[in-house]
């Protein structure tokens, strides 16, 4: 108690002294508002002041063609703490990187700034150059004068040059306060959890198990196989699904590295990359295990049309493509006179309102989920499900092959048969399957004729008149939709949902099987409709991504994390409340003294806690208050 | 007459806080797509809009910013799940506080820009610059 008291007095006394000094020495302009706690810039070596080197890139003519780069170089030399500045044609070239390393050694630089493109693409490259020169990579700073200056102000060279100077000045101000950071190293457990026992989950599990990793394969149904088990023939090869599934199942069932958990659902996942603690429920019995990585292959669901949509559930002869596939499998179709298929049933219409998913993501009630799903039944799903066209053509071919006299007509508003699938479309044409284009807004209508057949009326857009088709069967092509359990799973794993309600990958192009959560990967139709080959590809990709982590056994995580100053922390726990990643917990450091403690590995570095902290005890490493305020100050003064 | 002339020449300084994952990427996309906008804006990158301390905004105005723009990921898209909601709450408070400080609350703006909305970012800067120009300089500078 007395110790804390002394500390309090000390803290109160110091800033007052500083404030007096400041009033005398720098009356104008005023110091920024924030708290009086301002550490001195950390010097690189004992007794050494910041020595900043600024490298300004011409980027060929991308920057140099607009911004007067030599003028910016001269300007940079006048800035405080800058000891060296030069321009490069391409700083990212071999020569450019070599000149950074040389200058660091020659001029004893302890901060490096490159003014060029965006840190989002080139920061890692320059950081590694700094590391090679013996500098901590967090002492590097980038000034974006291409994407956010020369490229957007190409008609204002003077304005762009002035702005580039400002951007460099801001970077110098920030660099002055940069501190070296150590990246925490963590161990990665060499075991993996695969959620979902469809073809994607099986493939991913096998791929990892064959590499020697221990796998827990969790499937909520009593049997493996997912959607593939329900399918009969697969396009474009018209292979039996069992030809693909059965050999895989045989290996999975007996693999020594795979622990199969059917009728099991994952209820909770704690921990972080390399060290997840999983709780699952198996037939109501609680089980737990620890793993290093997670592959989510929870798949998608075939949309079941609501009663009445195209008379589904009203007339028994209106079925979905999946049901037709099963009829064909059983040989129960016979040889009908005509089969009419309707494309895009329940897809490519309506709009998922972001707030619906968002509201769901933020709540724990399934009431909202039910509400969302109800709304979808009324409006449909907005995206193209990308498998239905091929699937319809596949069933059309199968019908034609079984009973060539049956007239098969596919009604579509847009037909999307991509890559080699064009071939099965041609094949269907050869088999005299007919295609009729209707207008998206004028969907076909179905009534019953007195002799219990179905009458489909549709406006043939290309012929320009309405046609009436008497049909024995109407087959609805319904989309793959997000599974409601996968939405709940996303909440458990903290994976964001895409606007369509599927799990969202970290980057559509660059990181298609990663998620924003380190160590959690996605495979198969969990991220959106996929057919079998695509599911297998993504499953192998996800397995490879997980294997990289587990094979390395260790990894370093970003040092941009929160840090707690124990002297200032009063243990109120507000940071713990706002942390989305459960990275902060209150611990008792001494009798009756509670302090917040940050788990640097779980911490993602958003900085929300730092803003929330009422005493200013939490610092965001690499984005400290002082660093940001220095930029604010530099942006607005000294021009 | 003369006053109008002075106003026309006024070039505001606008500070924009952009989150690393959405709006900073959106600003980059505006660059890669060559959507031009006025040179008045200076961008500060933070990891998340949730990192934007109200004091950053207040000190920006105190140092003479004519406008402050806060941009983040769209609701539901935050890389850190909820950072943008945190910012939204602070924003309401900041607007209130600015009014009490004698700074027009309209000088502070919060917008959601995704990584794919380069055009929207450029349009936002054009619009904000024009509005701030109409409003004139930060009243604290003339005090």
């Amino acid at each position: 108690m007395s110790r804390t008291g002394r500390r309090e007095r000390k803290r109160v006394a110091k800033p007052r002294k500083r404030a007096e000094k400041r009033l005398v020495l720098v009356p104008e302009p005023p110091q920024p508002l924030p708290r009086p706690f301002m550490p001195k810039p950390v010097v690189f070596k004992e007794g050494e002041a910041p020595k900043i080197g600024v490298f300004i890139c011409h980027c060929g003519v991308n920057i140099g063609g607009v911004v007067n780069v030599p003028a910016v170089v001269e300007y940079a030399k006048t800035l405080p703490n800058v000891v060296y500045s030069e321009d490069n044609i391409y700083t990212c070239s071999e020569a450019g990187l070599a000149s950074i390393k040389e200058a660091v050694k020659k001029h004893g630089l302890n901060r490096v700034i490159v003014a060029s493109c965006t840190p989002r693409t080139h920061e890692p490259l320059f950081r590694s150059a700094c590391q090679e020169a013996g500098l901590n990579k967090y002492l590097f700073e980038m000034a974006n004068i291409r994407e956010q200056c020369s490229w957007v102000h190409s008609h204002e060279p003077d304005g762009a040059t002035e702005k580039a100077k400002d951007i460099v000045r801001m970077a110098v101000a920030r660099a002055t306060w940069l501190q070296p950071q150590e990246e925490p190293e963590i161990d990665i457990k060499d075991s993996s959890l695969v959620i979902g026992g469809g073809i994607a989950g099986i493939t991913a599990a096998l791929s990892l198990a064959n590499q020697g990793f221990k796998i827990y394969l969790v499937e909520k149904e009593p049997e493996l196989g997912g959607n593939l088990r329900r399918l009969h023939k697969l396009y474009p090869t018209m292979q039996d699904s069992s030809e693909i599934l059965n050999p895989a199942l045989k290996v999975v069932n007996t693999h020594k590295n795979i622990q199969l958990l059917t009728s099991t659902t994952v209820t909770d996942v704690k921990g972080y990359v390399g060290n997840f603690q999983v709780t699952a429920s198996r037939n109501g019995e609680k089980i737990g295990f620890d793993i290093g990585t997670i592959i989510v292959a929870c798949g998608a669901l075939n949309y079941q049309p609501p009663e009445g949509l195209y008379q589904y559930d009203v007339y028994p002869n209106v079925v979905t493509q999946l049901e037709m596939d099963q009829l064909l499998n059983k040989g129960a179709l016979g040889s009908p006179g005509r089969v009419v298929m309707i494309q895009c049933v329940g897809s490519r219409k309506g709009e998922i309102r972001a707030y619906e998913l968002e509201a769901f993501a933020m709540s724990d009630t399934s009431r909202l989920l039910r509400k969302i799903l109800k709304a979808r039944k009324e409006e449909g799903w907005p995206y193209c499900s990308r498998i239905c066209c091929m699937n319809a053509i596949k069933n059309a071919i199968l019908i034609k092959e079984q009973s060539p006299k049956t007239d098969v007509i596919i009604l579509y508003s847009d037909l999307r048969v991509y890559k080699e699938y064009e071939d099965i479309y041609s094949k269907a044409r050869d088999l005299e399957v007919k295609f009729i284009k209707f207008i998206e807004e004028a969907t076909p209508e179905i009534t019953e004729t007195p002799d219990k057949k179905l009458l489909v009326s549709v406006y043939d857009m290309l012929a320009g008149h309405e046609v009436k088709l008497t049909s024995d069967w109407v087959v609805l092509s319904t989309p793959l939709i997000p599974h409601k359990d996968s939405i709940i799973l996303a909440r458990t794993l903290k994976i964001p949902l895409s606007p369509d309600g599927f799990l969202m990958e970290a980057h559509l192009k660059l990181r298609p099987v990663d998620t924003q959560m380190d160590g959690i990967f996605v495979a198969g139709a969990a991220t959106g409709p996929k057919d079998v080959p695509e599911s297998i590809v993504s499953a192998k990709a996800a397995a490879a991504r997980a294997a990289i982590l587990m094979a390395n056994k260790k990894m370093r995580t970003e040092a941009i994390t929160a840090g707690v100053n124990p002297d200032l922390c009063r243990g109120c726990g507000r940071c713990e409340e706002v942390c989305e990643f459960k990275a902060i917990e209150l611990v008792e450091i001494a009798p009756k003294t509670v302090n917040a403690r940050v788990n640097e590995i779980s911490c993602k570095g958003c900085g929300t806690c730092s803003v929330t902290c009422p005493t200013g005890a939490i610092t965001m490493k690499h984005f400290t208050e002082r660093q940001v305020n220095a930029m604010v100050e530099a942006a607005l003064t000294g021009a | 007459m003369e006053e109008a002339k002075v106003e026309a020449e006024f070039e505001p300084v606008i500070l924009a806080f952009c989150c690393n994952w959405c709006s900073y990427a959106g600003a980059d996309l505006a660059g890669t797509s060559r959507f031009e906008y006025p040179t008045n804006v200076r961008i500060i990158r933070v990891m998340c809009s949730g990192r934007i301390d109200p004091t950053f905004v207040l000190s920006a105005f105190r140092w003479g910013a004519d406008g402050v723009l806060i941009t983040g990921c769209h609701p539901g898209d935050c890389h850190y799940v909820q950072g943008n909601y945190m910012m939204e709450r602070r924003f309401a408070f900041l607007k209130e506080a600015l009014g009490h400080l004698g700074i027009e609350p309209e000088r502070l703006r919060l917008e959601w820009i995704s990584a794919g909305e380069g055009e929207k970012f450029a349009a936002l800067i054009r619009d904000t610059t024009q509005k701030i120009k109409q409003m004139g300089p930060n009243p604290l500078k003339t005090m």
Side-chain angles (χ1 to χ4, degrees):
Chain A
M1 188 64 207
S2 66
R3 230 185 112 208
T4 338
R6 262 209 309 281
R7 222 181 257 157
E8 280 294 332
R9 277 200 300 281
K10 239 178 156 182
R11 257 208 328 276
V12 175
K14 260 191 178 170
R16 201 180 289 153
K17 234 181 192 174
R18 271 192 209 158
E20 278 165 14
K21 249 187 186 173
R22 206 186 294 142
L23 275 175
V24 181
L25 293 175
V26 258
E28 264 321 307
Q31 284 290 307
L33 286 177
R35 295 130 195 170
F37 176 68
M38 282 183 195
K40 279 185 174 177
V42 166
V43 290
F44 185 55
K45 279 177 197 153
E46 198 70 38
E48 200 180 20
K51 285 182 172 179
I52 303 174
V54 184
F55 300 81
I56 302 182
C57 181
H58 286 263
C59 194
V61 292
N62 283 303
I63 295 167
V66 180
V67 172
N68 183 349
V69 172
V72 181
V73 171
E74 287 314 308
Y75 176 73
K77 285 178 182 164
T78 66
L79 293 169
N81 298 317
V82 173
V83 295
Y84 181 73
S85 181
E86 68 167 43
D87 54 341
N88 314 100
I89 299 299
Y90 288 102
T91 313
C92 59
S93 67
E94 257 326 295
L97 297 175
S99 75
I100 293 179
K101 289 182 231 171
E102 199 189 302
V104 168
K105 290 198 180 99
K106 197 171 161 195
H107 301 277
L109 303 179
N110 53 26
R111 307 283 193 283
V112 171
I113 294 170
V114 173
S116 58
C117 43
T118 169
R120 290 175 52 84
T121 57
H122 279 62
E123 194 174 47
L125 180 74
F126 295 125
R127 274 181 163 185
S128 64
C130 289
Q131 270 179 318
E132 284 166 35
L135 213 57
N136 184 290
K137 71 179 187 185
Y138 290 89
L139 295 172
F140 169 78
E141 171 65 9
M142 220 162 157
N144 187 338
I145 59 165
R146 190 178 75 175
E147 275 87 345
Q148 295 175 4
C149 187
S150 71
W151 276 355
V152 287
H153 309 309
S154 55
H155 294 100
E156 292 173 84
D158 294 340
T161 306
E162 284 313 305
K163 183 174 171 181
K165 287 180 184 173
D166 285 3
I167 294 173
V168 169
R169 188 175 65 242
M170 288 158 74
V172 168
R174 175 170 146 83
T176 309
W177 298 90
L178 286 179
Q179 298 172 346
Q181 306 291 350
E182 279 312 311
E183 297 189 326
E185 192 179 61
I186 51 171
D187 293 322
I188 310 281
K189 284 200 172 70
D190 61 349
S191 54
S192 195
L193 163 69
V194 178
I195 305 173
I199 188 63
I202 292 171
T203 309
L206 272 179
S207 171
L208 285 173
N210 287 340
Q211 295 175 67
F213 300 110
K214 168 88 187 155
I215 306 300
Y216 297 89
L217 179 56
V218 170
E219 166 60 51
K220 66 172 180 222
E221 288 181 32
E223 233 183 302
L224 291 180
N227 282 329
L228 192 53
R229 190 159 47 82
R230 290 177 204 107
L231 277 171
H232 163 220
K233 297 270 188 202
L234 303 174
Y235 68 81
T237 52
M238 305 297 169
Q239 239 172 334
D240 258 32
S241 61
S242 56
E243 274 179 53
I244 293 175
L245 197 55
N246 289 350
L249 285 179
K250 210 171 157 189
V251 188
V252 167
N253 283 326
T254 55
H255 204 294
K256 67 174 179 8
N257 286 339
I258 298 180
Q259 186 174 346
L260 206 52
L261 298 164
T262 48
S263 308
T264 307
T265 48
V266 174
T267 50
D268 194 25
V269 174
K270 284 201 167 60
Y272 45 86
V273 53
N275 302 274
F276 292 106
Q277 291 92 45
V278 181
T279 316
S281 156
R282 186 177 200 189
N283 293 325
E285 175 203 347
K286 203 171 150 188
I287 47 171
F289 45 89
D290 293 351
I291 37 100
T293 57
I294 298 175
I295 292 177
V296 188
C298 52
L301 190 70
N302 186 241
Y303 178 64
Q304 205 61 25
E307 191 189 313
L309 182 66
Y310 291 109
Q311 312 300 333
Y312 184 78
D313 263 0
V314 177
Y315 304 133
N317 285 3
V318 180
V319 293
T320 63
Q321 289 287 5
L322 191 64
E323 286 160 348
M324 176 51 71
D325 186 87
Q326 279 150 3
L327 280 174
L328 286 164
N329 187 22
K330 284 185 221 148
L333 190 67
S335 44
R338 182 178 279 154
V339 176
V340 174
M341 297 180 177
I342 303 173
Q343 296 305 104
C344 300
V345 175
S347 61
R348 298 178 62 215
K349 65 170 77 68
E351 188 186 342
I352 297 185
R353 285 172 291 271
Y355 72 83
E356 295 175 340
L357 292 167
E358 172 199 323
F360 175 71
M362 291 182 73
S363 82
D364 289 319
T365 61
S366 55
R367 192 175 52 87
L368 267 162
L369 181 64
R370 281 203 298 277
K371 207 172 146 193
I372 295 168
L373 293 174
K374 187 170 171 278
R376 298 277 61 79
K377 284 211 163 172
E378 279 155 16
E379 288 181 40
W381 300 82
Y383 52 87
C384 166
S385 174
R386 87 198 238 118
I387 58 158
C388 330
C389 287
M390 278 76 72
N391 203 26
I393 291 171
K394 177 203 77 180
N395 279 348
I397 292 174
L398 289 176
I399 294 170
K400 275 286 189 189
E401 281 174 349
Q402 273 187 16
S403 121
K405 283 192 181 150
T406 303
D407 187 21
V408 183
I409 302 176
I410 297 180
L411 309 181
Y412 69 97
S413 68
D414 283 299
L415 208 57
R416 298 176 174 179
V417 279
Y418 57 101
K419 22 181 228 183
E420 70 271 27
Y421 302 139
E422 191 76 26
D423 293 347
I424 60 166
Y425 171 71
S426 307
K427 187 177 171 189
R429 283 260 176 202
D430 291 343
L431 289 170
E432 290 176 358
V433 172
K434 296 184 190 102
F435 292 86
I436 295 179
K437 183 172 168 71
F438 63 85
I439 300 170
E440 219 176 316
E441 289 75 26
T443 48
E445 274 169 29
I446 295 164
T447 49
E448 203 177 31
T449 61
D451 56 344
K452 297 284 169 200
K453 285 198 170 186
L454 298 163
L455 183 71
V456 185
S457 1
V458 61
Y459 181 83
D460 184 333
M461 192 182 154
L462 300 179
H465 59 77
E466 194 184 49
V467 285
K468 286 188 188 297
L469 307 160
T470 318
S471 179
D472 298 86
W473 292 90
V474 168
V475 191
L476 309 178
S477 290
T478 53
L480 283 178
I481 62 165
H483 207 289
K484 85 172 195 295
D485 294 347
S486 75
I487 301 181
I488 293 168
L489 190 64
R491 175 79 182 144
T492 312
L493 298 173
K494 294 201 163 168
I495 302 173
L497 295 172
S498 73
D500 293 334
F502 289 100
L503 305 193
M504 193 158 83
E505 57 283 271
H507 190 287
L508 190 63
K509 286 193 179 79
L510 300 173
R511 297 172 64 197
V513 297
D514 297 11
T515 65
Q516 73 155 30
M517 296 300 286
D518 290 337
I520 304 184
F521 305 92
V522 277
T527 52
K530 284 189 183 61
D531 59 21
V532 175
E534 287 165 341
S535 294
I536 292 178
V537 167
S538 70
K540 292 199 168 174
R545 294 287 293 150
I548 293 173
L549 282 179
M550 293 189 289
N552 281 328
K553 294 191 173 69
K554 283 180 192 301
M555 75 172 272
R556 287 195 176 275
T557 58
E558 188 83 73
I560 303 175
T561 56
V564 181
N565 179 346
D567 288 353
L568 292 176
C569 179
R570 64 177 191 193
C572 66
R574 282 211 224 161
C575 46
E576 191 189 19
E577 279 167 34
V578 298
C579 183
E580 274 294 313
F581 303 94
K582 296 174 186 156
I584 302 184
E585 55 177 353
L586 291 179
V587 287
E588 204 168 327
I589 49 161
K592 289 185 183 173
T593 314
V594 179
N595 245 343
R597 188 158 67 192
V598 177
N599 180 340
E600 290 194 338
I601 294 151
S602 320
C603 177
K604 300 282 161 214
C606 63
T608 300
C609 57
S610 162
V611 181
T612 311
C613 180
T615 63
I618 300 186
T619 317
M620 273 312 301
K621 291 173 192 168
H622 209 56
F623 284 91
T624 64
E625 205 161 286
R626 196 63 193 90
Q627 287 163 0
V628 179
N629 268 322
M631 288 184 89
V632 173
E633 184 187 327
L636 300 161
T637 55
Chain B
M1 188 69 188
E2 212 183 302
E3 245 182 54
K5 207 182 156 192
V6 171
E7 252 174 52
E9 281 167 5
F10 162 63
E11 285 295 336
V13 183
I14 299 163
L15 218 57
F17 290 96
C18 293
C19 80
N20 183 55
W21 306 97
C22 294
S23 45
Y24 193 87
D28 279 350
L29 185 67
T32 12
S33 325
R34 312 295 202 275
F35 296 131
E36 301 220 353
Y37 53 78
T39 59
N40 305 59
V41 70
R42 303 287 178 269
I43 293 172
I44 293 178
R45 179 173 70 115
V46 286
M47 291 311 276
C48 177
S49 48
R51 171 66 188 113
I52 302 163
D53 200 308
T55 60
F56 298 165
V57 177
L58 293 176
S59 59
F61 282 115
R62 194 170 172 188
W63 284 105
D66 299 304
V68 173
L69 197 57
I70 296 169
T71 55
C73 309
H74 281 273
D77 278 0
C78 179
H79 184 81
Y80 303 103
V81 190
Q82 292 219 34
N84 48 0
Y85 297 112
M86 299 290 176
M87 186 60 238
E88 199 171 17
R89 286 180 209 171
R90 276 177 232 139
F91 177 72
F93 149 75
L94 270 168
K95 284 225 142 190
E96 188 73 30
L98 287 179
H100 289 294
L101 293 169
I103 301 167
E104 301 92 324
E106 294 76 35
R107 292 185 184 275
L108 177 66
R109 213 169 153 179
L110 173 71
E111 292 288 338
W112 309 132
I113 306 276
S114 84
E117 293 176 330
E119 170 98 69
K120 187 178 169 189
F121 183 84
L124 174 67
I125 303 296
R126 283 193 289 268
D127 183 55
T128 310
T129 310
Q130 195 215 341
K131 282 193 177 138
I132 303 283
K133 268 189 185 173
Q134 279 168 1
M135 289 173 79
N138 177 349
L140 295 189
K141 281 203 286 202
T142 51
M143 254 158 75

